[in-house]
Amino acid sequence: MSLFSPDRLLWLWVALPIVGFYILKTRLRRRRVATLLFWDQLFEEKRQRSLWQNLRHWLSLLLQLLFVGLLVFALADPLWKFQSDQGQELVLIVDNSASMKAMDPTTEESRLQQAVMRAEDVVRSLRPGDKAALISAGSSVRVVVGMTEFGPTIEEALAEMQATEGPTLVPQAIHAARRLAPDPERRRIVVVTDGGSREKGGSREKNAEGLNPASARASEPTKADITLSKSEGSRDDTDVQWVQVGRSLPNVAISRFQVRRSATDPIGYVLLIEIQNFSDKEISTRLTLDLEDNLIDVVPITLAAGDTFRRVFEGASQQGGVLTGRIDTDDGFAIDDVARAVVPLRPSIPVTLVSNNETDSFYLRNVLESLPLVQLTDAGTDFDPEQASIDSLTVFAGVTPKSLPPGPTLIVGASESGSSHDGFFTVGPELASPIVAKQDDQSPLLRHVRLQNVILEGGRDVEVSDSLGEATTLLETAEGARVLVSVERESGRVLLLAANLTDSDLPLRIAFPVMMTNAMNWFFRQSGDMNPSLQTGQITHLPWDTANLRSDAGQATLVDPEGQRQLVTVDQRRALVGPVDQTGVYALVSDDLARPTDSNGSDGNEEAPKSAREQVAAGAQGQLIAVNLCDAKESDLSIVALDEQSAAELPPAGFSAWLYLVLIGLALVVAEWAFFQRRVIA
């Protein structure tokens, strides 16, 4: 133990007057008395003594000197062995990831509750002059409390800390802690987590409960390996101390749950599900599948220790919705027992074909009839644009419309400029052997399509008027002619292809039906055949395609399962979402749909407000997003013992040493008064 202020030991000179008072001879006062009979006996007891012979109450003096010594020693501010004489900067990292929600069946406490108690013990070991900070390492790394000398602030933040439902980010939190406390001489990082560490040989030891991970998972990195890898190869971690909480628990988890539309059946869908047994015993459970609260299937499952159940399920639904999978277990960790996925809506696509003759529309007619869910109506030349439905696609094949109908419009092979009171597009003269030299690979219309070096006979340069809407060039020839242009219009999107399909080789390529499929999704703002489920803690870009999005940059609103709103950035019609720290179904909507809306029923009574999810499910513009844990590393609740270096001895819980010295000194004062001063006063 060292002293922070050894110069204060000079106060020990206070002991000299105390010793002087104890050896000081008491002078007798003169008084006249009637007899010396009793004084002779008293004189024998009070006869002259030497200086040190006057020290008869030596035990009382010793207690007084001990009190002074302890008080002066406390003023010198003694330090524990783990404390620096320069004042330390403690960064406390608490793992609040999903696995910290696991409940201990014996104590009925979660791992996070245990972590908070251990963290509070560390905070109470701080001494005056020390600084501390608190970082959470759940779905995202967050500095909960910055560097402060006031310990109660950190204790209050610990009491309010909640576990997220995402994976752990302890390594990233350690990097953040080093940036927060840059001085390595003063820095001390304490990580409170349920993760274990891997031995140097790569094998994982059996834990105290005797639970050994199955051999099937031995070669896979676990949460323990990720959490306590301690940035291998990056730098020395002597400034990090690890506090481990929790004990090994068996667990059965849904580790994969993804759905997509069938490639062959227009209304079919395919579900891939994976269930893992993270225990050393065989388990029997059942899997229940629901689509919008309608029971789809119940599957009994028996898994050996460490085994994995993997299966592909097929179903059919045109309306789609939220598909939910549940496993019937009671393992104290319910987050990974439920997973969700969004089955995309497959609505019918009404299409009206306008053409002069069957030759001009031959290829378009055939490809449209081959597309699933397309309801084709041939209007010939007898077509009134004003009577067109805004929800129907109008296709002009070899016909130049004098006015555009409301709703989405596809114009193929226009040889004349379209005209209205302002004029909405113009086409140039026919080009000689136009070859596609450039295409917009970022456009959803050309997804999975490569048209470079394709000859578009009859190609013409298209120029769109600003009054029509925002135009984007999708295909461009070597001469700079724009042969394929998309237009964003309020009343419906427009796509113009200035080429003759009869003489071009484009219809003979597989890219043509793919491009037309992309066009159907683009016209009606559909996300396609797959809406992948996200993982908690994941950051991703999602397509965000709504009619009220006026430019390539903007904002959307992400509504979580509890109705809380969060603004997300939209760039190039892609929304940046994440990290999300809660499982469930989210709604990505425009701001006007973010709040519940009231509606009146047919009977005149006011109905309950619809949530954002209900509005999207009812057909409002927006997108549902399923978020699951589905993380095998996080669902593995086994605990591996820390190695000797990682499990360094932690500081004793409690207060600084000076406080204990003062308390002991006060106890000595009380003892001295009880044994000596009290009798003298009495």
Side-chain angles (χ1 to χ4, degrees):
M1 182 176 286
S2 59
L3 300 177
F4 184 72
S5 302
D7 55 315
R8 296 177 182 176
L9 293 178
L10 295 176
W11 283 96
L12 288 174
W13 66 266
V14 177
L16 296 178
I18 295 177
V19 175
F21 283 125
Y22 269 86
I23 65 177
L24 184 65
K25 179 181 178 181
T26 304
R27 295 185 61 182
L28 301 178
R29 292 178 292 177
R30 292 181 177 273
R31 290 289 188 269
R32 292 179 181 272
V33 295
T35 176
L36 297 178
L37 175 63
F38 302 106
W39 286 107
D40 288 339
Q41 297 177 6
L42 183 62
F43 180 75
E44 181 65 23
E45 298 179 5
K46 296 291 185 179
R47 67 179 182 272
Q48 186 68 30
R49 295 180 176 87
S50 64
L51 183 64
W52 296 105
Q53 285 178 331
N54 288 332
L55 188 60
R56 291 184 296 170
H57 303 295
W58 61 269
L59 185 57
S60 174
L61 175 61
L62 179 61
L63 293 177
Q64 294 283 357
L65 293 179
L66 281 176
F67 169 72
V68 173
L70 290 174
L71 189 60
V72 174
F73 199 54
L75 288 176
D77 199 358
L79 306 176
W80 301 112
K81 290 182 179 181
F82 66 89
Q83 291 177 319
S84 169
D85 58 359
Q86 298 179 355
Q88 63 177 338
E89 292 182 342
L90 170 68
V91 182
L92 188 61
I93 299 176
V94 177
D95 182 2
N96 64 334
S97 60
S99 63
M100 300 296 284
K101 282 190 171 184
M103 301 294 295
D104 191 327
T106 58
T107 61
E108 295 185 354
E109 290 182 341
S110 68
R111 292 180 176 180
L112 182 62
Q113 290 175 312
Q114 300 175 20
V116 167
M117 289 188 291
R118 297 296 299 275
E120 289 175 344
D121 291 342
V122 176
V123 173
R124 293 192 186 103
S125 68
L126 297 175
R127 49 180 289 276
D130 289 345
K131 294 183 179 180
L134 176 62
I135 296 178
S136 62
S139 300
S140 59
V141 176
R142 189 168 69 93
V143 179
V144 182
V145 179
M147 279 294 176
T148 179
E149 297 184 2
F150 192 61
T153 302
I154 298 181
E155 294 186 39
E156 291 178 2
L158 284 171
E160 297 176 357
M161 182 171 291
Q162 301 293 327
T164 65
E165 297 181 358
T168 183
L169 295 177
V170 168
Q172 294 86 335
I174 293 177
H175 288 300
R178 288 179 175 138
R179 293 193 297 268
L180 196 61
D183 188 356
E185 299 297 328
R186 302 179 58 189
R187 179 177 62 226
R188 177 167 152 254
I189 302 174
V190 177
V191 181
V192 187
T193 178
D194 61 345
S197 68
R198 212 160 73 170
E199 295 296 322
K200 294 181 179 179
S203 62
R204 303 180 67 196
E205 293 184 351
K206 192 175 284 189
N207 53 65
E209 301 296 327
L211 183 61
N212 202 15
S215 58
R217 296 183 285 113
S219 60
E220 298 181 3
T222 63
K223 179 192 176 182
D225 306 329
I226 300 298
T227 302
L228 299 187
S229 61
K230 299 180 292 182
S231 309
E232 294 176 355
S234 60
R235 57 174 298 161
D236 185 20
D237 279 345
T238 56
D239 58 342
V240 181
Q241 291 176 292
W242 300 85
V243 181
Q244 193 175 61
V245 296
R247 64 187 186 93
S248 294
L249 298 172
N251 187 38
V252 181
I254 300 177
S255 56
R256 186 174 299 177
F257 198 83
Q258 292 288 354
V259 68
R260 67 166 300 153
R261 280 296 185 177
S262 173
T264 57
D265 186 356
I267 63 172
Y269 62 87
V270 180
L271 169 68
L272 171 63
I273 187 169
E274 182 180 271
I275 300 174
Q276 290 185 255
N277 178 16
F278 297 98
S279 66
D280 61 346
K281 297 180 180 179
E282 181 181 88
I283 62 97
S284 294
T285 183
R286 62 180 179 180
L287 169 67
T288 304
L289 296 176
D290 298 324
L291 179 60
E292 291 295 337
D293 298 328
N294 296 318
L295 182 63
I296 300 299
D297 201 353
V298 177
V299 182
I301 298 174
T302 300
L303 287 174
D307 200 3
T308 300
F309 169 86
R310 188 180 293 107
R311 184 175 296 180
V312 175
F313 293 87
E314 296 183 358
S317 173
Q318 182 176 354
Q319 295 300 321
V322 178
L323 181 64
T324 305
R326 293 181 176 86
I327 52 176
D328 186 12
T329 62
D330 186 16
D331 49 23
F333 191 58
I335 301 174
D336 54 11
D337 295 341
V338 180
R340 303 168 183 86
V342 177
V343 180
L345 173 67
R346 294 299 296 268
S348 299
I349 304 174
V351 177
T352 302
L353 180 61
V354 182
S355 63
N356 289 322
N357 52 65
E358 294 185 0
T359 303
D360 293 338
S361 63
F362 176 77
Y363 290 111
L364 272 177
R365 184 189 308 274
N366 282 274
V367 74
L368 289 173
E369 289 177 347
S370 67
L371 296 179
L373 302 176
V374 169
Q375 298 176 349
L376 184 62
T377 301
D378 193 345
T381 57
D382 186 16
F383 176 74
D384 185 2
E386 296 182 357
Q387 296 180 358
S389 172
I390 195 172
D391 298 323
S392 174
L393 170 64
T394 305
V395 179
F396 294 91
V399 176
T400 302
K402 299 305 180 182
S403 62
L404 291 182
T409 305
L410 171 61
I411 303 174
V412 179
S415 58
E416 300 178 359
S417 300
S419 62
S420 64
H421 61 282
D422 292 327
F424 49 86
F425 75 90
T426 59
V427 296
E430 183 175 339
L431 303 173
S433 299
I435 300 177
V436 176
K438 182 181 179 181
Q439 76 174 48
D440 185 0
D441 294 328
Q442 302 299 321
S443 173
L445 284 161
L446 299 180
R447 185 178 56 180
H448 310 307
V449 173
R450 293 292 178 267
L451 295 178
Q452 283 90 348
N453 300 323
V454 174
I455 299 177
L456 294 178
E457 291 292 344
R460 301 169 184 268
D461 182 35
V462 178
E463 184 176 351
V464 177
S465 172
D466 293 337
S467 61
L468 181 60
E470 180 185 356
T472 302
T473 302
L474 303 179
L475 294 180
E476 188 175 339
T477 66
E479 295 81 7
R482 296 155 292 185
V483 293
L484 181 62
V485 178
S486 65
V487 182
E488 290 290 340
R489 188 180 56 147
E490 276 191 54
S491 59
R493 289 173 164 176
V494 179
L495 183 63
L496 296 99
L497 175 60
N500 187 352
L501 295 182
T502 304
D503 301 328
S504 173
D505 61 348
L506 175 60
L508 304 179
R509 295 175 176 264
I510 191 64
F512 185 59
V514 174
M515 187 173 68
M516 292 303 298
T517 301
N518 293 339
M520 296 301 109
N521 293 329
W522 179 75
F523 280 127
F524 294 96
R525 305 181 188 274
Q526 301 294 326
S527 59
D529 293 335
M530 186 173 182
N531 189 358
S533 301
L534 303 184
Q535 286 184 304
T536 49
Q538 179 181 355
I539 301 177
T540 186
H541 285 87
L542 296 176
W544 178 236
D545 200 2
T546 60
N548 57 357
L549 190 61
R550 298 290 184 266
S551 63
D552 286 342
Q555 286 184 332
T557 302
L558 184 67
V559 184
D560 66 17
E562 297 180 354
Q564 301 296 321
R565 307 190 316 147
Q566 176 186 354
L567 292 178
V568 297
T569 302
V570 178
D571 187 24
Q572 299 296 325
R573 298 192 178 274
R574 295 177 65 84
L576 179 62
V577 176
V580 289
D581 57 5
Q582 182 182 359
T583 61
V585 179
Y586 290 70
L588 184 63
V589 297
S590 56
D591 189 64
D592 56 340
L593 294 181
R595 302 179 184 276
T597 58
D598 296 335
S599 59
N600 295 326
S602 58
D603 57 355
N605 296 326
E606 185 175 334
E607 295 180 351
K610 291 184 178 180
S611 65
R613 173 180 171 180
E614 292 172 337
Q615 294 178 64
V616 173
Q621 289 187 2
Q623 182 177 352
L624 296 182
I625 305 169
V627 179
N628 306 311
L629 177 60
C630 287
D631 191 319
K633 303 177 185 65
E634 202 68 25
S635 296
D636 186 357
L637 302 181
S638 60
I639 299 295
V640 180
L642 294 169
D643 54 38
E644 294 182 359
Q645 181 180 1
S646 297
E649 183 179 356
L650 288 173
F655 301 94
S656 299
W658 66 266
L659 181 60
Y660 296 104
L661 295 176
V662 171
L663 294 177
I664 295 174
L666 292 176
L668 292 177
V669 169
V670 173
E672 195 274 340
W673 177 86
F675 288 105
F676 298 99
Q677 302 299 331
R678 183 172 61 88
R679 292 188 303 172
V680 172
I681 295 175

